[in-house]
Coordinates of all heavy atoms in Angstrom, one line a residue:
Chain A
M23 N 50.5 -9.9 -47.0 CA 50.6 -11.3 -46.6 C 50.0 -11.5 -45.3 O 50.2 -10.8 -44.4 CB 52.1 -11.7 -46.6 CG 52.3 -13.2 -46.4 SD 54.0 -13.6 -46.0 CE 54.9 -12.4 -46.8
K24 N 49.2 -12.6 -45.2 CA 48.6 -12.9 -43.9 C 49.7 -13.7 -43.1 O 50.4 -14.5 -43.6 CB 47.4 -13.8 -44.1 CG 46.1 -13.0 -44.0 CD 44.9 -13.8 -44.5 CE 44.7 -15.1 -43.7 NZ 43.6 -15.9 -44.3
A25 N 49.8 -13.4 -41.8 CA 50.7 -14.2 -40.9 C 50.2 -15.7 -41.0 O 49.1 -16.0 -41.0 CB 50.6 -13.7 -39.5
G26 N 51.2 -16.5 -41.2 CA 50.9 -17.9 -41.2 C 50.7 -18.4 -42.7 O 50.5 -19.6 -42.9
Q27 N 50.7 -17.5 -43.7 CA 50.5 -17.9 -45.0 C 51.5 -17.2 -46.0 O 51.7 -16.0 -45.8 CB 49.1 -17.6 -45.5 CG 48.1 -18.8 -45.2 CD 46.8 -18.5 -45.9 OE1 46.6 -17.5 -46.6 NE2 45.9 -19.4 -45.7
A28 N 52.0 -17.9 -46.9 CA 52.9 -17.3 -47.9 C 52.9 -18.2 -49.1 O 52.5 -19.4 -49.0 CB 54.3 -17.1 -47.3
T29 N 53.4 -17.7 -50.2 CA 53.6 -18.6 -51.4 C 54.8 -19.5 -51.1 O 54.7 -20.7 -51.3 CB 53.8 -17.7 -52.6 OG1 53.2 -16.5 -52.5 CG2 53.4 -18.5 -53.9
T30 N 55.8 -18.9 -50.7 CA 57.1 -19.7 -50.5 C 57.7 -19.5 -49.1 O 57.8 -18.3 -48.7 CB 58.1 -19.4 -51.6 OG1 57.5 -19.7 -52.9 CG2 59.4 -20.2 -51.4
A31 N 58.1 -20.5 -48.5 CA 58.9 -20.4 -47.3 C 60.4 -20.8 -47.6 O 60.6 -21.8 -48.2 CB 58.4 -21.4 -46.2
V32 N 61.3 -19.9 -47.2 CA 62.7 -20.2 -47.3 C 63.2 -20.6 -45.9 O 63.0 -19.8 -45.0 CB 63.4 -18.9 -47.9 CG1 64.9 -19.2 -47.9 CG2 62.9 -18.5 -49.2
I33 N 63.9 -21.7 -45.9 CA 64.5 -22.1 -44.6 C 66.0 -21.8 -44.6 O 66.7 -22.4 -45.4 CB 64.2 -23.6 -44.4 CG1 62.8 -23.9 -44.4 CG2 64.8 -24.0 -43.0 CD1 62.4 -25.4 -44.3
G34 N 66.4 -20.9 -43.8 CA 67.8 -20.5 -43.7 C 68.1 -19.1 -44.1 O 67.7 -18.7 -45.3
G35 N 68.7 -18.3 -43.2 CA 68.9 -16.9 -43.4 C 70.4 -16.6 -43.7 O 70.9 -15.6 -43.3
G36 N 71.0 -17.5 -44.5 CA 72.3 -17.2 -45.0 C 72.1 -16.5 -46.3 O 71.0 -16.2 -46.7
L37 N 73.2 -16.2 -47.0 CA 73.1 -15.5 -48.3 C 72.3 -16.2 -49.3 O 71.6 -15.6 -50.1 CB 74.5 -15.1 -48.8 CG 75.2 -13.9 -48.1 CD1 76.7 -13.8 -48.4 CD2 74.5 -12.6 -48.5
H38 N 72.4 -17.5 -49.4 CA 71.6 -18.2 -50.4 C 70.2 -18.1 -50.1 O 69.3 -18.0 -51.0 CB 72.2 -19.7 -50.5 CG 73.4 -19.7 -51.4 ND1 73.4 -19.5 -52.7 CD2 74.7 -19.9 -51.0 CE1 74.6 -19.6 -53.2 NE2 75.4 -19.8 -52.2
G39 N 69.8 -18.2 -48.8 CA 68.4 -18.1 -48.5 C 67.9 -16.7 -48.8 O 66.8 -16.5 -49.4
L40 N 68.7 -15.7 -48.5 CA 68.3 -14.3 -48.8 C 68.2 -14.1 -50.3 O 67.3 -13.4 -50.8 CB 69.4 -13.4 -48.2 CG 69.4 -13.2 -46.7 CD1 70.6 -12.4 -46.3 CD2 68.1 -12.5 -46.2
A41 N 69.2 -14.7 -51.1 CA 69.1 -14.5 -52.5 C 67.9 -15.1 -53.1 O 67.3 -14.6 -54.1 CB 70.4 -15.0 -53.1
C42 N 67.5 -16.3 -52.6 CA 66.3 -16.9 -53.1 C 65.0 -16.1 -52.8 O 64.2 -15.8 -53.6 CB 66.1 -18.3 -52.5 SG 67.1 -19.5 -53.2
A43 N 65.0 -15.6 -51.5 CA 63.9 -14.8 -51.1 C 63.8 -13.6 -52.0 O 62.7 -13.2 -52.4 CB 64.1 -14.4 -49.6
L44 N 64.9 -13.0 -52.3 CA 65.0 -11.7 -53.1 C 64.4 -12.0 -54.5 O 63.6 -11.3 -55.0 CB 66.4 -11.2 -53.1 CG 66.5 -9.9 -54.0 CD1 65.7 -8.8 -53.4 CD2 68.0 -9.5 -54.0
A45 N 64.9 -13.1 -55.1 CA 64.5 -13.4 -56.5 C 63.0 -13.7 -56.5 O 62.3 -13.2 -57.4 CB 65.3 -14.6 -57.0
L46 N 62.5 -14.4 -55.5 CA 61.1 -14.7 -55.5 C 60.2 -13.5 -55.2 O 59.2 -13.3 -55.9 CB 60.8 -15.8 -54.4 CG 61.4 -17.2 -54.8 CD1 61.4 -18.0 -53.5 CD2 60.5 -17.8 -55.8
V47 N 60.6 -12.7 -54.3 CA 59.8 -11.5 -54.0 C 59.8 -10.5 -55.1 O 58.9 -9.8 -55.4 CB 60.2 -10.9 -52.6 CG1 61.5 -10.1 -52.7 CG2 59.1 -10.1 -52.0
Q48 N 61.0 -10.4 -55.8 CA 61.1 -9.5 -57.0 C 60.1 -10.0 -58.1 O 59.8 -9.2 -59.0 CB 62.5 -9.5 -57.5 CG 63.4 -8.6 -56.7 CD 64.8 -8.6 -57.2 OE1 65.3 -9.6 -57.8 NE2 65.6 -7.5 -57.1
R49 N 59.8 -11.3 -58.1 CA 58.9 -11.9 -59.1 C 57.5 -11.9 -58.6 O 56.7 -12.7 -59.2 CB 59.4 -13.2 -59.6 CG 60.7 -13.2 -60.4 CD 61.5 -14.5 -60.4 NE 62.7 -14.5 -61.2 CZ 63.8 -13.8 -60.9 NH1 63.9 -13.1 -59.8 NH2 64.8 -13.8 -61.8
G50 N 57.3 -11.2 -57.5 CA 55.9 -11.1 -57.1 C 55.4 -12.1 -56.1 O 54.2 -12.1 -55.8
Q51 N 56.2 -12.9 -55.6 CA 55.7 -13.9 -54.6 C 55.7 -13.4 -53.2 O 56.5 -12.5 -52.9 CB 56.6 -15.2 -54.7 CG 56.4 -16.0 -55.9 CD 56.6 -17.5 -55.6 OE1 57.1 -17.9 -54.5 NE2 56.3 -18.3 -56.5
D52 N 54.8 -14.0 -52.4 CA 54.9 -13.7 -51.0 C 55.9 -14.7 -50.4 O 55.8 -15.9 -50.6 CB 53.5 -14.1 -50.3 CG 52.5 -13.0 -50.6 OD1 52.8 -11.9 -50.9 OD2 51.3 -13.4 -50.5
V53 N 56.8 -14.1 -49.7 CA 57.9 -15.0 -49.2 C 58.1 -14.8 -47.7 O 58.1 -13.6 -47.2 CB 59.3 -14.6 -49.9 CG1 60.4 -15.5 -49.3 CG2 59.1 -14.8 -51.4
V54 N 58.2 -15.9 -47.0 CA 58.7 -15.8 -45.6 C 60.0 -16.6 -45.4 O 60.1 -17.6 -46.0 CB 57.6 -16.3 -44.6 CG1 57.2 -17.8 -44.9 CG2 58.0 -16.2 -43.1
L55 N 60.9 -16.0 -44.7 CA 62.2 -16.6 -44.5 C 62.4 -16.9 -43.0 O 62.2 -16.0 -42.2 CB 63.3 -15.7 -45.0 CG 64.8 -16.3 -45.0 CD1 65.6 -15.7 -46.1 CD2 65.4 -16.0 -43.6
F56 N 62.7 -18.2 -42.7 CA 62.9 -18.6 -41.3 C 64.4 -18.8 -41.1 O 65.0 -19.5 -41.8 CB 62.2 -19.9 -41.0 CG 60.7 -19.8 -41.1 CD1 60.0 -20.4 -42.2 CD2 59.9 -19.1 -40.2 CE1 58.7 -20.3 -42.3 CE2 58.6 -19.0 -40.3 CZ 57.9 -19.6 -41.4
E57 N 64.9 -18.1 -40.0 CA 66.3 -18.3 -39.6 C 66.3 -18.7 -38.2 O 65.7 -18.0 -37.3 CB 67.1 -17.0 -39.9 CG 68.4 -16.9 -39.2 CD 69.3 -18.1 -39.5 OE1 69.5 -18.5 -40.6 OE2 69.9 -18.6 -38.5
R58 N 67.0 -19.8 -37.9 CA 67.0 -20.3 -36.5 C 67.7 -19.3 -35.5 O 67.2 -19.2 -34.4 CB 67.7 -21.6 -36.5 CG 67.9 -22.2 -35.1 CD 68.0 -23.7 -35.2 NE 69.2 -24.1 -36.0 CZ 69.5 -25.4 -36.3 NH1 68.7 -26.3 -35.8 NH2 70.6 -25.6 -37.0
S59 N 68.8 -18.7 -36.0 CA 69.4 -17.8 -35.0 C 69.3 -16.4 -35.6 O 68.3 -15.7 -35.3 CB 70.9 -18.1 -34.8 OG 71.6 -18.4 -36.0
W60 N 70.2 -15.9 -36.3 CA 70.0 -14.6 -37.0 C 70.7 -14.6 -38.3 O 71.5 -15.4 -38.6 CB 70.6 -13.5 -36.1 CG 72.0 -13.5 -35.8 CD1 73.0 -13.0 -36.6 CD2 72.7 -14.0 -34.6 NE1 74.2 -13.2 -36.0 CE2 74.1 -13.8 -34.8 CE3 72.2 -14.6 -33.4 CZ2 75.0 -14.2 -33.8 CZ3 73.1 -15.0 -32.5 CH2 74.5 -14.8 -32.7
I61 N 70.3 -13.6 -39.1 CA 70.7 -13.5 -40.5 C 72.3 -13.5 -40.6 O 72.9 -12.7 -39.9 CB 70.1 -12.2 -41.2 CG1 68.6 -12.3 -41.3 CG2 70.8 -12.0 -42.6 CD1 68.1 -13.5 -42.1
G62 N 72.8 -14.4 -41.4 CA 74.2 -14.4 -41.6 C 75.0 -15.0 -40.5 O 76.2 -14.8 -40.4
R63 N 74.4 -15.7 -39.6 CA 75.1 -16.2 -38.4 C 76.1 -17.2 -38.7 O 77.2 -17.3 -38.0 CB 74.0 -16.8 -37.5 CG 74.5 -17.7 -36.4 CD 75.1 -16.9 -35.2 NE 75.6 -17.8 -34.2 CZ 76.8 -18.3 -34.1 NH1 77.7 -18.1 -35.1 NH2 77.2 -19.0 -33.1
R64 N 75.9 -18.0 -39.8 CA 76.9 -19.2 -40.0 C 77.8 -18.9 -41.1 O 78.5 -17.8 -41.1 CB 76.0 -20.4 -40.3 CG 75.2 -20.9 -39.1 CD 76.1 -21.3 -38.0 NE 75.4 -21.6 -36.8 CZ 76.1 -22.0 -35.6 NH1 77.4 -22.0 -35.6 NH2 75.4 -22.2 -34.6
A65 N 77.9 -19.7 -42.1 CA 78.9 -19.6 -43.2 C 78.9 -18.2 -43.8 O 80.0 -17.7 -44.1 CB 78.7 -20.7 -44.2
S66 N 77.8 -17.6 -44.0 CA 77.7 -16.3 -44.7 C 78.5 -15.2 -43.9 O 79.0 -14.3 -44.5 CB 76.3 -15.9 -44.9 OG 75.7 -16.8 -45.8
G67 N 78.4 -15.3 -42.6 CA 79.1 -14.3 -41.8 C 80.5 -14.7 -41.5 O 81.3 -13.9 -41.0
A68 N 80.9 -16.0 -41.9 CA 82.2 -16.5 -41.5 C 83.1 -16.6 -42.8 O 84.3 -16.9 -42.7 CB 82.1 -17.8 -40.8
T69 N 82.5 -16.3 -43.9 CA 83.3 -16.5 -45.2 C 84.4 -15.5 -45.4 O 84.3 -14.4 -44.9 CB 82.3 -16.4 -46.4 OG1 83.1 -16.5 -47.6 CG2 81.5 -15.1 -46.4
A70 N 85.4 -15.9 -46.1 CA 86.5 -15.0 -46.5 C 86.0 -14.2 -47.7 O 86.7 -13.3 -48.2 CB 87.8 -15.7 -46.8

Side-chain angles (χ1 to χ4, degrees):
Chain A
M23 187 192 331
K24 263 167 56 186
Q27 269 189 3
T29 329
T30 302
V32 176
I33 304 174
L37 279 167
H38 280 287
L40 288 170
C42 283
L44 179 61
L46 288 163
V47 77
Q48 280 176 331
R49 287 160 179 74
Q51 286 214 352
D52 286 338
V53 179
V54 59
L55 182 150
F56 298 108
E57 163 55 45
R58 177 156 58 184
S59 48
W60 62 83
I61 294 299
R63 164 77 179 86
R64 294 295 175 185
S66 300
T69 174

